[in-house]
Amino acid sequence: MEQKSLNQKTLAAQTGLSPTTVGKLCRNHFDRIDNHTVKTLCKYFGLRSISELIEIEWEKDDVEGVQV
């Protein structure tokens, strides 16, 4: 969003996603993301993969004991 100088309200209006959904995504306050939302955002931003859309920020407790 920063690259396109968008605010949450504008993104919601231009994509048809609810302001609540956009706000939760921007604040990383979500447990899951549905297929429609992923496709809508990827299409809007011209992305070909969800990996370009979401970056996971692992905390130490999330990966403890996991061999990477």
Side-chain angles (χ1 to χ4, degrees):
M1 283 180 40
E2 295 87 21
Q3 293 174 346
K4 287 195 169 200
S5 299
L6 287 175
N7 62 38
Q8 294 175 26
K9 185 177 180 179
T10 302
L11 179 61
Q14 291 182 356
T15 60
L17 297 172
S18 76
T20 301
T21 297
V22 172
K24 286 181 178 181
L25 291 170
C26 289
R27 291 187 309 277
N28 290 319
H29 289 154
F30 61 95
D31 295 321
R32 64 189 79 137
I33 183 169
D34 67 38
N35 190 40
H36 173 264
T37 301
V38 170
K39 285 182 175 182
T40 299
L41 291 172
C42 284
K43 184 176 179 180
Y44 180 81
F45 288 111
L47 307 176
R48 299 188 52 80
S49 171
I50 189 174
S51 66
E52 296 178 74
L53 184 64
I54 297 173
E55 181 178 339
I56 299 172
E57 295 178 9
W58 295 105
E59 295 182 15
K60 184 180 179 197
D61 294 342
D62 293 335
V63 295
E64 190 172 311
V66 176
Q67 297 290 326
V68 181

